[in-house]
Amino acid sequence: MMQDRHGRDIRYLRLSITKACAMRCMYCRPVAMNQPRGEPMLTAGEIEAFARHMVARHRLKKVRLTGGEPTNRGDLVEIVRRLCALDALDDVAMTTNGLKLAGLAEALATAGLRRVNVSLDSLNADRFRRITGVDALHRVLEGIEAAQTAGLRPVKLNTVVVRGQNDDELGELLLFAVAKGIEIRFIELMPMGPLANSWADRYVPETQMRQELAPLVESWEALPFNSDSARRYRVTLVDGRRATVGFITAMSCPFCQACDRIRVAADGTFHPCLMDR
């Protein structure tokens, strides 16, 4: 078993397979940032060999493919197929911006991908364009639909909440998730990236998110907390419908104690945490 210096067992690998991403989200990448060209990347064979070693020697159980944007890799389906062929690996998942998901969901499911998280920061097309830098809300919504049709379960939505941008839209996003029968997770803004210098003015803690959702929610039932980064609740809406809502609270309520993950960048470098050098 691999352990970090705090004695936590590492069972979960978050593997970035590219730095490239077509979006320029205001909290992630500066608008002027150039698309990486000729970036050093682990090959599909190297990714398989590394995962096989981690499974065999360190009892790795879960891999999540991230980026940049993982669907920018032309060999993504092959990478998924290779990982899913590792018998002792319990779970292969992916986080995506959803732009290319509609055309890939069926092939990814056939290759063995279990589940997918899709970033969705607004349901308003103009606002979506301001936040992400691309006029492509319709493509993301088509990707979510395609993922469900392909049988990826569960599909989860990730919403980074930024004051003055989308903090007044949480109720609408929750109702969208309820109508689709999927879980939504609201993410606290972290003091990094392009908004680092204005973080104090943009940050919305979980308590304020829940206040924003209060008119829609009759009751909150906390679900057991494990090594997941989200504090999850089973909620009953005032209209009687039920949903699962998560809050990723890296700032107001850090989840470091239960963390069981390691991060590997597209070039093979290790990072124990997003906030670590």
Side-chain angles (χ1 to χ4, degrees), residues 126-264:
D126 290 337
R127 181 178 284 184
F128 182 92
R129 184 179 65 251
R130 289 197 302 272
I131 294 173
T132 66
V134 296
D135 186 11
L137 174 61
H138 63 287
R139 291 169 59 186
V140 176
L141 297 180
E142 289 168 0
I144 293 169
E145 189 72 29
Q148 291 188 288
T149 300
L152 295 174
R153 296 287 186 278
V155 176
K156 296 180 182 180
L157 302 181
N158 289 344
T159 299
V160 177
V161 181
V162 183
R163 188 179 306 282
Q165 297 295 327
N166 62 353
D167 55 321
D168 62 345
E169 201 178 341
L170 307 191
E172 186 177 352
L173 286 159
L174 172 58
L175 292 177
F176 173 81
V178 171
K180 291 289 185 181
I182 55 185
E183 179 176 336
I184 188 166
R185 294 117 59 84
F186 296 109
I187 303 172
E188 291 181 346
L189 183 68
M190 298 175 70
M192 57 192 300
L195 298 184
N197 292 334
S198 60
W199 173 81
D201 297 325
R202 306 281 192 148
Y203 166 64
V204 181
E206 178 195 350
T207 53
Q208 293 182 20
M209 296 182 200
R210 291 182 61 172
Q211 289 172 8
E212 182 68 24
L213 294 170
L216 295 175
V217 178
E218 180 71 27
S219 64
W220 299 82
E221 176 190 352
L223 296 175
F225 183 76
N226 48 35
S227 59
D228 190 6
S229 58
R231 294 152 54 86
R232 301 169 67 244
Y233 298 85
R234 187 66 171 165
V235 303
T236 301
L237 304 187
V238 293
D239 63 10
R241 290 183 294 173
R242 305 195 74 191
T244 301
V245 179
F247 297 95
I248 298 181
T249 57
M251 304 311 298
S252 68
C253 189
F255 41 84
C256 304
Q257 182 176 355
C259 183
D260 64 347
R261 67 204 68 188
I262 193 76
R263 297 173 183 271
V264 173

Side-chain angles (χ1 to χ4, degrees), residues 14-26:
R14 292 183 65 92
L15 178 63
S16 169
I17 59 175
T18 178
K19 294 180 181 178
C21 181
M23 286 187 177
R24 287 295 176 266
C25 295
M26 62 168 51

Side-chain angles (χ1 to χ4, degrees), residues 68-90:
E69 170 49 42
T71 60
N72 278 15
R73 281 283 294 251
D75 56 353
L76 172 62
V77 173
E78 174 65 11
I79 291 171
V80 170
R81 186 190 66 76
R82 287 173 178 249
L83 291 176
C84 291
L86 301 178
D87 291 337
L89 194 60
D90 292 343

